[in-house]
Amino acid sequence: MSGICSRLNTSDGKTTEWKSQALRKYQRRTLAADALIAGVYLAGTNTRRVRRALRSVFGGEVGKDTVSRVWRKVKGDWDAWNSRSLADEPIVRLILDGTVVRVRLDRKATSISLLVVIGVRTNGQKVLLAIKQMGGESTEAWRTVLDDLIKRGLRRPELLIVDGGTGLESAIAAVWDSVPVQRCTVHKHRNLLAHAPERLHEEISDDYNDMIYAATREEIEKRRKAFIRKWRLKHRAVADSLEEAGDRLFTFTRLPQSQWRSVRTTNAIERLHEEFKRRIKTQTVLPSADTAAMLFWALLASGQINMRKVDGWQTLATKPMDQKIDLAA
């Protein structure tokens, strides 16, 4: 909690907490402190515990009306964010992925999916566009998310980076069938390992990484063919799994090499998932599905989690080459 307080350097080289003499203590709350109140409240802590936890931050008792007022404001900001127009957002790329969290539903712990969409602006800056709680990652669930973005004015993206789930791919085909799609190379790596016994995992990983992280498009094509030929003989299911992804696993090779790192994976969202789960690790079950999505948003809206520009953003204006990778083996 002490990290929320401002500190001043003193003449003896130590630090002391800054306290304004001109402002009443309840007017000294910052956005971060407001988000802290909302975040603790969202995580299922009751008002009395919130007040006790924040006493050290404000240097005194925090009234119940203060907690309630902050909660209403953050809830209002959340509602406004969900309905905001996207018509003026210069989005050129979308990164889409889902994560599973446990929430309390009808007094029982239940797993739900949070479907997350990050946009990449023309200047390379990543921005959270949507986070919705759904029962799973079905085609219908993802269509709900995509249709809402389109209804609010989101422009047709130039590239989509996805986790490879069939529900999401079907939803994309229904609304943006001609937009280039990059399948996440990390998700496909996990999928390959799932098709083989553990004793083969290290060898599969070595061959796969040699292919995905090769220095040139030509070298990637060469190593892909070698991978398919080898694993068709050694463990057919692995080769079949790689072939299932088709050229969508290699869409990044149609772009300038400076962008390859940021395009190959959905890691931008994976990192958010990890940070979100780290923040809620003491709450094995969140109080409701609605508050799970809202807490995820609040961590970004309050600046507690920041997103940087994508690698290679200087070449974002370069369109993907028409030539796809050679899938022959």
Side-chain angles (χ1 to χ4, degrees):
M1 298 294 182
S2 59
I4 299 296
C5 302
S6 297
R7 309 291 299 182
L8 289 178
N9 294 323
T10 60
S11 58
D12 59 0
K14 298 180 180 179
T15 63
T16 184
E17 182 181 343
W18 174 81
K19 294 183 180 180
S20 170
Q21 302 303 313
L23 297 176
R24 290 164 48 192
K25 60 184 176 182
Y26 295 138
Q27 292 175 315
R28 293 201 299 267
R29 289 200 321 274
T30 64
L31 176 61
D34 284 356
L36 180 61
I37 292 175
V40 177
Y41 199 62
L42 280 165
T45 303
N46 60 37
T47 302
R48 178 176 56 81
R49 289 178 178 173
V50 173
R51 292 166 62 193
R52 186 170 66 235
L54 296 173
R55 188 177 297 144
S56 62
V57 175
F58 299 128
E61 187 66 36
V62 178
K64 183 165 66 173
D65 61 332
T66 299
V67 175
S68 298
R69 186 166 59 250
V70 170
W71 166 247
R72 286 194 302 271
K73 181 184 182 303
V74 174
K75 178 65 166 63
D77 290 344
W78 161 248
D79 291 339
W81 182 83
N82 273 306
S83 60
R84 75 202 185 286
S85 171
L86 300 174
D88 294 329
E89 277 284 7
I91 301 298
V92 293
R93 181 180 299 172
L94 296 182
I95 309 168
L96 308 97
D97 199 1
T99 190
V100 175
V101 295
R102 301 274 285 172
V103 302
R104 198 161 299 285
L105 190 62
D106 293 332
R107 299 182 179 180
K108 294 182 179 179
T110 306
S111 294
I112 65 162
S113 292
L114 294 180
L115 305 188
V116 183
V117 181
I118 289 176
V120 178
R121 293 176 175 145
T122 52
N123 66 355
Q125 181 60 52
K126 296 191 291 285
V127 57
L128 182 66
L129 293 180
I131 174 166
K132 292 191 181 297
Q133 58 88 8
M134 293 288 180
E137 296 191 50
S138 65
T139 300
E140 294 74 18
W142 274 111
R143 272 299 300 269
T144 298
V145 176
L146 298 183
D147 287 347
D148 180 65
L149 291 174
I150 293 169
K151 182 179 69 175
R152 291 192 283 127
L154 182 69
R155 305 175 193 177
R156 184 183 182 87
E158 297 175 3
L159 178 70
L160 302 167
I161 305 171
V162 304
D163 62 1
T166 55
L168 174 54
E169 297 234 12
S170 296
I172 287 171
V175 295
W176 294 315
D177 61 333
S178 61
V179 174
V181 174
Q182 169 67 45
R183 286 273 298 269
C184 176
T185 58
V186 171
H187 280 78
K188 174 48 69 176
H189 184 193
R190 296 170 188 160
N191 191 243
L192 293 179
L193 298 182
H195 283 82
E198 189 173 351
R199 66 180 179 82
L200 296 176
H201 284 190
E202 184 176 353
E203 187 177 359
I204 293 170
S205 295
D206 288 344
D207 290 349
Y208 182 78
N209 289 332
D210 283 346
M211 170 186 62
I212 291 296
Y213 299 107
T216 67
R217 175 189 175 89
E218 293 73 24
E219 191 63 26
I220 289 173
E221 283 189 345
K222 177 182 175 181
R223 296 185 186 186
R224 179 195 172 280
K225 292 175 183 179
F227 187 101
I228 295 295
R229 288 195 296 266
K230 172 182 176 178
W231 288 99
R232 274 179 182 167
L233 296 173
K234 188 157 189 172
H235 197 76
R236 181 68 186 241
V238 173
D240 289 347
S241 179
L242 184 69
E243 289 191 293
E244 175 275 329
D247 55 39
R248 289 188 168 193
L249 191 64
F250 305 96
T251 301
F252 69 90
T253 65
R254 298 165 58 190
L255 294 163
Q257 288 191 14
S258 61
Q259 295 185 38
W260 285 14
R261 181 179 177 183
S262 63
V263 174
R264 275 191 296 242
T265 73
T266 58
N267 279 357
I269 290 181
E270 294 280 338
R271 283 192 290 269
L272 291 183
H273 293 338
E274 291 170 5
E275 184 65 16
F276 172 66
K277 290 179 178 179
R278 185 181 71 80
R279 301 296 182 101
I280 64 171
K281 65 182 178 182
T282 58
Q283 298 286 331
T284 55
V285 180
L286 293 173
S288 76
D290 288 335
T291 56
M294 189 175 172
L295 180 55
F296 192 109
W297 161 81
L299 291 172
L300 282 162
S302 66
Q304 295 182 62
I305 298 177
N306 294 301
M307 293 189 289
R308 60 180 179 83
K309 290 185 175 184
V310 298
D311 292 323
W313 63 268
Q314 299 90 339
T315 59
L316 277 177
T318 305
K319 307 301 181 190
M321 294 188 302
D322 290 333
Q323 182 183 3
K324 297 181 179 180
I325 199 162
D326 181 7
L327 295 180

